[in-house]
Amino acid sequence: MDIPLRLFTAALPALLSGALALALTGCADGASDAESSPSPSPGDGEGNGGSEEVAAFVRPEDPYAGMDAELSERLHLPVYDYRLDEYEGYVVRRAEDTLTVECLVDLGYEAEVNSALELDPLTMRAFGPQHEYRRYGNTRADIAGEHGFSLPLDDVADPYLLGGDADLREQAHSAVLSSGEGLKTPSGDTVPEGGCIGQARQRIDPDGAPAHETDEEGNSPDTPGSHLLVEELLGESYIVAVEDPAVAGATAAWEACMAGAVDGFHGTPLSGEGSDPEAAVPALECRDSSGYLDAFVAAERAALEGLIAEHEEALTARRDQLRKNLETSLDVLGW
């Protein structure tokens, strides 16, 4: 299923309540009315028989709670339609964790998925499904009022809860990240090529490049949830937009607005780090009243029009593969 964000936001309530759970279900606080059951053991499939079942992640009721559909429409860039959104990427990462842990268990290590790795509701509120709410500086007045220029960030949790002594845990980490050549596993089995994480990614995206491979320039390949070409084009459009005359004019208007609103403010429309948190709301209001936000979005859309046309075939092929990866990931999680 491929739904452009503009259509997706309008149809969201119906989709969430209907059978199209493919793109709109996932992990947050609490289970849906169909209680999440332990994920069907992917290890029971061909090539990894009889793997011990691992604990499941929990399916959320509404992963898009807190999303501002009107703001997302205003900030929408057409290239977003070719990649997974924040929630969908989360689904793929949790499926990858599940398969990685099952691989570790098959090798005889003590491991389980960290079911505390839930999708923080603040992520959708503060960043948006495409991280569009902060691409041009914070665009959410409620977030600016609550948190100023910054956000509380949780420590990155270990996705694999490893047991055993320190040596065994160190061996398990090696089995996750590499082929572990010469590593004697508790089961006596050989670590798969590319490590357990490499095997997990191949299970989700069989047509993807092996995790340990790089291209001729030394770059890593796409993972099952990523679209590196989209990120590259977004980088190009951003650079073009920064130099756009309309954006430059709006920047000057923003600076004039801030000079009258906050004494001694030295930030930019994109950043206010080090400034008084109380300036966050005026900075947002000036960004809007100066026309900065709409000028930047318009400049990026204009730049992306030609870039998308140039790369249409590759963008579409990768988008279609990502939808398959998402479907596989939902199956792995039992959602």
Side-chain angles (χ1 to χ4, degrees):
M1 178 179 64
D2 178 38
I3 303 177
L5 184 59
R6 289 163 291 180
L7 299 179
F8 156 73
T9 53
L12 182 58
L15 292 174
L16 283 170
S17 62
L20 296 178
L22 169 62
L24 301 175
T25 52
C27 284
D29 298 330
S32 67
D33 52 357
E35 280 295 317
S36 176
S37 58
S39 61
S41 176
D44 291 340
E46 181 179 351
N48 195 20
S51 173
E52 182 178 336
E53 192 171 84
V54 297
F57 291 101
V58 178
R59 176 180 174 176
E61 292 180 352
D62 183 359
Y64 295 92
M67 172 185 171
D68 184 331
E70 183 177 348
L71 182 60
S72 289
E73 172 70 16
R74 181 183 179 190
L75 302 179
H76 181 74
L77 299 178
V79 77
Y80 292 157
D81 298 333
Y82 294 92
R83 69 178 181 184
L84 298 182
D85 67 22
E86 173 67 27
Y87 166 66
E88 293 165 339
Y90 170 83
V91 170
V92 175
R93 293 192 297 274
R94 297 293 78 82
E96 184 178 292
D97 293 344
T98 299
L99 293 172
T100 299
V101 165
E102 290 201 359
C103 171
L104 289 170
V105 171
D106 280 348
L107 295 174
Y109 296 107
E110 298 177 28
E112 60 181 297
V113 296
N114 187 350
S115 58
L117 285 173
E118 299 174 338
L119 184 64
D120 188 344
L122 181 60
T123 300
M124 194 61 71
R125 279 186 61 217
F127 292 92
Q130 296 289 347
H131 283 209
E132 68 272 38
Y133 299 166
R134 296 186 83 86
R135 185 169 177 82
Y136 314 103
N138 175 37
T139 57
R140 293 281 306 248
D142 55 341
I143 295 297
E146 292 171 22
H147 303 287
F149 287 103
S150 60
L151 285 172
L153 298 177
D154 295 332
D155 293 333
V156 178
D158 187 349
Y160 323 116
L161 301 179
L162 303 176
D165 59 28
D167 287 342
L168 197 63
R169 293 196 302 273
E170 183 177 352
Q171 289 180 23
H173 277 298
S174 296
V176 168
L177 299 172
S178 68
S179 61
E181 185 175 349
L183 182 65
K184 184 177 180 181
T185 66
S187 70
D189 295 324
T190 302
V191 177
E193 186 178 10
C196 283
I197 196 169
Q199 176 176 278
R201 289 174 176 174
Q202 287 290 124
R203 297 280 297 280
I204 296 171
D205 187 359
D207 297 325
H212 62 285
E213 284 191 0
T214 58
D215 61 23
E216 55 275 6
E217 298 178 356
N219 299 315
S220 297
D222 269 306
T223 61
S226 71
H227 198 326
L228 296 180
L229 178 56
V230 165
E231 303 307 320
E232 179 184 333
L233 298 186
L234 283 169
E236 291 185 33
S237 66
Y238 192 90
I239 292 172
V240 170
V242 167
E243 302 297 328
D244 186 89
V247 174
T251 300
W254 178 88
E255 292 171 347
C257 177
M258 285 300 292
V262 181
D263 290 337
F265 184 80
H266 299 295
T268 72
L270 298 172
S271 174
E273 280 77 2
S275 300
D276 185 343
E278 296 297 322
V281 171
L284 182 150
E285 292 172 344
C286 285
R287 194 182 302 114
D288 197 39
S289 64
S290 66
Y292 180 86
L293 192 59
D294 292 328
F296 212 126
V297 173
E300 283 214 80
R301 286 174 178 166
L304 285 166
E305 184 176 352
L307 291 171
I308 290 174
E310 180 182 352
H311 299 281
E312 178 70 34
E313 184 175 352
L315 287 168
T316 301
R318 181 61 185 161
R319 178 202 63 194
D320 293 347
Q321 184 60 53
L322 285 171
R323 306 316 295 179
K324 293 178 183 177
N325 296 350
L326 176 59
E327 185 174 1
T328 299
S329 296
L330 289 163
D331 288 342
V332 167
L333 295 171
W335 294 353

